[in-house]
Each structure stands twice: as structure tokens, then as C-alpha cells.
Amino acid sequence: MRTLLLLCATVAAIATAATPVRAETCQLKLISSLTLTQSGDHVLVPVSVTGKQLPFEFELATAFSGITAKAANELGLAERPISAKSTVKINGKTITKRIAVPMLQIGTLTGHDLDLLEFPSLIEGDGMLGLDILAAYDLELDFAHGKANLFSRDHCVGKVIYWSPPGGAVAAIPFTVQALGNITVEMLVDGRPTSVAISTDAPSVMEMPAAHRMFGIDEHSPGLQIVKADAKDGSQYRYPFREIDVQ
């Protein structure tokens, strides 16, 4: 499949959509602060599974957390089948088993007797941290300092900016969390309305069929540069869009 890399469009921070309950104080309560590490196109976070620290992929584009079969086997964790009525796919692979985890620690958060999906394999980590865990908190991503901060949702409405923004400028961007965990926002790409998904495991991309349909871009368009030639899985290109405006 051919993909087109976007030149601009970087999301610096995102907070989970929530309607906070009434709080006695407007002060934010930090629940946990996680260290983020960039590895290729992926962001990794340390997660302790039954006392052993493992690198998990930090993923905002999936509803489910899981652990690889190899890591689960090395830790001696028990497998359980997933109901045949449920169909779960991660990275295009159907998941058929779940793993019983006696204890899971994420920063200062500790959970007991949890079920994680069993992934056949992952590109970078030994597991994946998804929205089934992250969505319970307001989330701040501070890539400049390599931190993911989880805050309590019990705070005053709108009182979430605790730092001093440069020039006092803050942008509030509405987004939608779909049933399977995709976070989508609306933007304008060179003036054309475009719905995009936010992910932490890939660069900004647009499929070539969409680029051709919306902008008339093909392999012979002026300014198009080939990034990776791959006859089997599809080549990748880079194109200089003029403007991206997040609504």
C-alpha cells in the first residue's frame, strides 16, 4: 500500500475527553508521571508486569492494552481464550487469547488481577499501553521533556492549564474517540476538510488513494519525492503541502 508523508502537522499534547465531576478545589491532582522514550516511529513507556519492568508501546490509537506472547511466556503467565463472539484485531492480526496478569504497575499506579490481550508480536515493545487504561485519566503529553502525565478528572471545568503558555496562547481542539479507540480530529489540509486519526506509533501519513482523490496527487506530481521504494508493501512519498490548519 502506498502512503504519503505529511510535512507538517505535529500534535504536542492531548487530553482525554471527559466531563469532570464537581471538585472541592480547582487544583489539578497529578496521579502519575511516566517517562517516554522514542524508539524509531514508536514511543515506549516502562511498565512493570509481576515485578519485571518491560518496555510497552504507548499507543493512543488502540482501545486495548496487551502483552506479547513471548513476554507472557517468559513470565509464566496463564493464557485464557477470548470469546468466539468477539473479534479483536491489532496491526491487522486477529487476537484469540488474553493473559492473566496478577499485578501491573504503571508509574505509581498499581492494578491487580488484570486481563491483557496476547499479541503475537510487536515491532518495538513487549506490550502495548492503550486507552482501556489511559482513558481513565486526563492525559498530558510533554514530548519536549519525555513525560506522559496522568491527572485526576476531578477538577473544575476548563481549569487544566497549569503552565505559562508562550505568549499566553492556548488552542482547544475538539476530538472524537471512536468505539475501537481511534482518536480523530478535523483539520484543513491546503483548505480541504480532512478527518485524521491521532497516533503515537507512526509519522503523519496520508494514503495515496486519498491524496489522489482529494488533491489529484500521483507519482508524477511536481514536488513529490520518493522516500522508500518497495514493490511488495508499497512505496512511500513525501509531498510539500502548503498549510495544515487544525480546527
Side-chain angles (χ1 to χ4, degrees), residues 14 16 32-38 41-47 54-62 64-65 106 122 124-131 133-135 138-143 147-150 183 198-202:
I14 187 172
T16 55
S32 189
S33 183
L34 314 178
T35 298
L36 301 177
T37 304
Q38 189 76 32
D41 290 333
H42 300 268
V43 177
L44 302 180
V45 62
V47 174
L54 301 174
F56 270 41
E57 294 181 9
F58 188 93
E59 181 51 76
L60 297 181
T62 181
F64 307 105
S65 299
I106 307 168
L122 292 171
E124 295 289 347
D126 291 320
M128 183 179 292
L129 188 61
L131 289 181
I133 294 176
L134 295 174
D138 279 354
L139 171 63
E140 175 195 30
L141 296 183
D142 183 356
F143 289 115
K147 291 293 183 181
N149 297 317
L150 304 179
I183 300 174
I198 294 178
S199 175
T200 48
D201 75 342

Side-chain angles (χ1 to χ4, degrees), residues 15 57 83 114 116 162 200:
E57 294 181 9
S83 171
L114 304 176
L116 299 181
Y162 66 90
T200 48

